[in-house]
Amino acid sequence: MINGIYIYEIVLQGARALIKSENYLNEINIYPVADKDTGTNMADTMRSVVSVSQPDESVSVALGNIADAAMNGARGGSGNIIGHLLNGLYLNCENRNAVDESFLIEMFVKAARHVVVILSDSMKGTIGEVIEKWGEYLEKSDKSNYRALLTSSVAVAEKIADDSAKCNDKNAVDAGAKGAAIFIKGLVDGIFSDKNFSITDYHIIKTADFDKINHSSVAKRYCVDTLIIGQNLTEKTLRDEVEMMGNNLIIKGFPEKMRVHIDSDEPWNVMEALQKHGFAASQNIRDLQREKEVASKHLRIGILTDSSNDLPQELLDKYLIEVVPLTINIGDECYVDHIGITSKRFTERLLENKCVPTTAQPCFKAFYDRYMSMTKYCDAVIAVHLSDSLSGTQKNSRRAAQTVSRETGKRIVVVDGNSATCGLGLLLVRVAEEIEKGTDFDEVIAKTKAWSGENRIFISCLTTKYLLNSGRLGSVKGTLTSFIGLKPIIYFSSERKLTKLRIDFLKKTNRRHILEYIRNFVEGKKIWNYSLAHVDNMEAMEAYTSFMRELTGREPLFVSDPSPMLVGKVGPQASAIAIALE
């Protein structure tokens, strides 16, 4: 019989195989977009499994711990899918303490089906197809020879992944598909390992001390709870780094992993200090002030968004807008967007670090937990997100919204904001003001969809370097050259994607053309309001504000720093102006 310790080590073998393949998967990640982050996203998801999950003698408890770690630590689309595969194993273990070989095969089959249901629109040659075909092969093949079946199933998964190169115009192996095949091979290798493990082979960090902390009186705004993975870690070293940054500090663990809890007003400083000593495999940054505010509230309609919105904190607080942050990777370091690292510090890191930063959308569980929390004080929820053409954020939000709505009976609707940065922020304020008027929920949804199609955001970049590196800018990338000195102007088109307007050689010419585009766009139309964002470029802000003041007779609704996630896409000194029409 296979117990929880055995199955725990099987999964860890698959996780280790993916972590070892991180750089390889990043290198082959050129299809469908060359964002070079699939390996990092899958590896970071597995780092969470390896470092956060706890072993147990029971199969059900061990898989529950694994699934929870995977879903909490999932990064990117591929990481989320592997997380769902592991969650599928847990959901189909039937609360057993031990399983035999045939039941393990059945669990694999049902877990694969679990992924297929979630990815009902999965396309040929992707990670979804590798998992689907692997599960189908296990289900339909002769099960009399357990070892032969599992071994041949690896070959099937690897062939599907390799065949993905035949299914696209770039003749490139899909990195996510290849990662799934690598993970499956790691699982099977773990099954046939001759090693014998016991519970004493693993370090377990007990959570009792962390759970005793009372946050009823909020002295610091944020609660930071993270797991640092490194070598030769000591409580004293980490304590010396962060002790003066807050209160309620608790550090427990072992030389290779330490769990750190601290309440702080500057979580970004805490995370940067801790990551000098290791990788932050698990990050949970709670806004204690917001939790206290909403505890006594009852809202007719709540608003949720992601961290690309770029609204100043005072406006987020005024309208009680909930934010689920994206994640940023800088080399071996991982940060929660906005609250884990500031825009200013990220820009400095961007200039000093040769690594291309990558981003990952929030996982399903992050949205699920936030929606469940909001349903306690909201009758209904509207979520407005970063354009679907730039990120897969909306997909996880929609799945979580549907799940929570089904479980609670509360209405939750997700809308594509068709924008980002100050454009998304502008739309959110308009939605919030409409809700304050007492507008019916269905009418709020209809107006939000209409406004998202009418708003425009014009973005000026003083270099093409970061646009080219991001790999997610559709037609923009195809029209840019590698000359770093070029200064493109881009905007969201009616087709809901970023489109190049023109490329200039001089900063002065670039700004003049942006003002011309704005004048042409608003000619003969009434402006509801406008907003601005910039990456350390006050000169551009002053020029835009002066122009719009003459045009509208009003100041901008807000001026903000773009989220670090967006700074990594557009680069230093980029600027943006968003306009909402009546």
Side-chain angles (χ1 to χ4, degrees):
M1 295 292 285
I2 298 170
N3 67 8
I5 302 300
Y6 185 28
I7 207 161
Y8 181 82
E9 187 59 33
I10 288 171
V11 174
L12 258 58
Q13 289 277 48
R16 293 181 188 115
L18 262 181
I19 292 170
K20 288 179 182 177
S21 303
E22 176 180 357
N23 292 335
Y24 164 69
L25 294 173
N26 281 340
E27 284 302 311
I28 66 170
N29 181 201
I30 63 172
Y31 175 82
V33 289
D35 44 7
K36 302 287 186 180
D37 65 353
T38 294
T40 297
N41 289 336
M42 297 183 89
D44 282 357
T45 304
M46 292 300 100
R47 287 188 182 101
S48 181
V49 170
V50 171
S51 57
V52 178
S53 66
Q54 307 279 29
D56 195 272
E57 296 283 354
S58 164
V59 167
S60 176
V61 175
L63 283 176
N65 292 341
I66 287 168
D68 192 57
M71 298 306 286
N72 273 311
R75 302 279 186 264
S78 298
N80 272 278
I81 293 169
I82 293 296
H84 282 300
L85 180 65
L86 293 174
N87 194 44
L89 284 174
Y90 166 62
L91 293 175
N92 290 287
C93 71
E94 297 183 1
N95 204 30
R96 297 193 180 192
N97 291 324
V99 299
D100 60 19
E101 295 173 346
S102 63
F103 191 81
L104 180 61
I105 296 290
E106 187 178 337
M107 285 167 56
F108 285 152
V109 170
K110 290 180 178 179
R113 278 200 214 124
H114 176 74
V115 171
V116 173
V117 169
I118 291 171
L119 299 178
S120 56
D121 60 344
S122 61
M123 297 175 62
K124 191 172 180 62
T126 67
I127 180 174
E129 188 177 2
V130 171
I131 294 172
E132 178 182 16
K133 298 301 183 187
W134 175 64
E136 289 178 353
Y137 178 81
L138 289 174
E139 182 178 20
K140 297 175 181 178
S141 300
D142 178 15
K143 299 177 179 58
S144 59
N145 189 326
Y146 172 71
R147 180 179 288 269
L149 173 60
L150 286 172
T151 301
S152 58
S153 77
V154 171
V156 169
E158 290 177 332
K159 184 177 187 307
I160 297 296
D162 292 339
D163 284 349
S164 65
K166 302 173 185 176
C167 306
N168 61 79
D169 56 1
K170 296 182 181 179
N171 195 32
V173 173
D174 181 85
K178 193 67 176 176
I182 289 169
F183 180 68
I184 288 168
K185 184 177 187 305
L187 286 179
V188 173
D189 288 345
I191 291 170
F192 298 139
S193 171
D194 294 329
K195 295 179 181 177
N196 293 314
F197 296 92
S198 70
I199 202 78
T200 58
D201 293 314
Y202 305 95
H203 290 308
I204 298 176
I205 299 177
K206 297 187 176 99
T207 61
D209 290 336
F210 297 87
D211 296 336
K212 291 176 184 176
I213 297 169
N214 185 352
H215 293 296
S216 58
S217 176
V218 180
K220 300 293 183 181
R221 175 153 192 165
Y222 299 99
C223 167
V224 180
D225 194 343
T226 186
L227 195 72
I228 301 298
I229 309 301
Q231 295 181 346
N232 302 317
L233 298 174
T234 67
E235 291 184 20
K236 183 181 184 306
T237 300
L238 299 185
R239 184 175 295 278
D240 289 345
E241 284 283 4
V242 300
E243 190 168 23
M244 302 305 294
M245 297 181 184
N247 53 30
N248 286 334
L249 176 62
I250 299 178
I251 304 175
K252 296 283 185 183
F254 307 93
E256 63 273 15
K257 68 177 178 181
M258 290 276 178
R259 186 175 171 188
V260 180
H261 172 285
I262 187 171
D263 293 347
S264 175
D265 286 329
E266 300 178 335
W268 42 88
N269 289 336
V270 171
M271 292 311 305
E272 183 167 11
L274 290 175
Q275 291 200 85
K276 294 175 185 176
H277 303 278
F279 175 76
S282 172
Q283 299 179 54
N284 182 19
I285 303 178
R286 294 165 49 202
D287 187 337
L288 300 176
Q289 179 178 307
R290 174 60 57 80
E291 289 178 8
K292 185 177 181 181
E293 287 173 350
V294 300
S296 58
K297 295 284 185 181
H298 177 264
L299 301 183
R300 192 172 56 87
I301 303 172
I303 304 174
L304 180 139
T305 187
D306 57 75
S307 57
S308 70
N309 70 86
D310 290 344
L311 276 176
Q313 188 63 51
E314 56 266 26
L315 288 176
L316 291 172
D317 291 341
K318 177 181 178 180
Y319 297 111
L320 295 179
I321 297 172
E322 296 283 352
V323 179
V324 177
L326 284 84
T327 303
I328 306 166
N329 297 296
I330 311 173
D332 294 331
E333 298 173 20
C334 179
Y335 293 95
V336 175
D337 193 25
H338 255 318
I339 54 176
I341 186 169
T342 64
S343 296
K344 180 179 179 181
R345 182 60 185 132
F346 179 79
T347 303
E348 293 171 352
R349 296 292 305 277
L350 198 64
L351 293 171
E352 70 190 27
N353 197 312
K354 294 181 180 180
C355 296
V356 177
T358 60
T359 59
Q361 71 258 31
C363 64
F364 169 89
K365 193 172 187 305
F367 281 115
Y368 177 88
D369 289 346
R370 191 63 63 90
Y371 280 130
M372 286 299 290
S373 173
M374 293 182 73
T375 57
K376 294 175 183 177
Y377 65 92
C378 301
D379 293 334
V381 177
I382 176 172
V384 188
H385 289 301
L386 170 70
S387 175
D388 199 28
S389 64
L390 294 181
S391 169
T393 297
Q394 286 184 49
K395 294 177 183 177
N396 282 333
S397 182
R398 289 182 193 279
R399 287 201 294 267
Q402 290 166 1
T403 302
V404 174
S405 184
R406 186 169 58 249
E407 292 177 0
T408 64
K410 297 288 183 78
R411 293 192 66 188
I412 305 174
V413 176
V414 179
V415 178
D416 188 336
N418 189 32
S419 192
T421 183
C422 55
L424 180 58
L426 193 63
L427 177 59
L428 288 165
V429 172
R430 197 170 190 182
V431 172
E433 292 187 356
E434 194 67 25
I435 291 171
E436 286 191 340
K437 292 177 184 177
T439 304
D440 173 78
F441 183 68
D442 288 327
E443 190 176 349
V444 170
I445 298 301
K447 287 187 173 183
T448 303
K449 290 178 179 178
W451 292 332
S452 73
E454 294 172 356
N455 291 359
R456 284 293 180 272
I457 178 169
F458 298 87
I459 304 171
S460 169
C461 304
L462 298 189
T463 172
T464 61
K465 175 181 176 181
Y466 300 97
L467 289 171
L468 291 167
N469 284 340
S470 73
R472 288 187 179 272
L473 298 179
S475 61
V476 177
K477 183 180 176 184
T479 57
L480 296 177
T481 71
S482 59
F483 292 105
I484 304 303
L486 297 180
K487 297 164 180 57
I489 301 172
I490 54 180
Y491 83 115
F492 273 93
S493 68
S494 57
E495 290 79 26
R496 296 178 178 265
K497 62 183 180 181
L498 282 179
T499 301
K500 175 186 71 70
L501 283 172
R502 65 174 297 118
I503 293 177
D504 294 305
F505 288 92
L506 299 176
K507 182 166 63 173
K508 182 178 180 181
T509 309
N510 176 276
R511 188 171 303 148
R512 176 169 55 82
H513 283 134
I514 277 204
L515 299 181
E516 287 176 4
Y517 286 127
I518 293 171
R519 189 183 296 278
N520 291 335
F521 172 66
V522 302
E523 187 174 6
K525 302 166 187 165
K526 287 188 68 176
I527 295 175
W528 177 77
N529 221 319
Y530 68 100
S531 57
L532 306 168
H534 68 104
V535 185
D536 193 26
N537 193 342
M538 284 305 300
E539 182 184 354
M541 292 301 96
E542 290 169 3
Y544 295 156
T545 302
S546 175
F547 176 79
M548 293 301 293
R549 191 185 293 121
E550 291 182 13
L551 206 60
T552 67
R554 67 195 333 181
E555 298 298 316
L557 181 62
F558 63 85
V559 178
S560 66
D561 297 325
S563 75
M565 181 276 293
L566 288 164
V567 174
K569 308 294 185 188
V570 296
Q573 292 208 301
S575 57
I577 177 168
I579 302 170
L581 301 176
E582 286 286 3

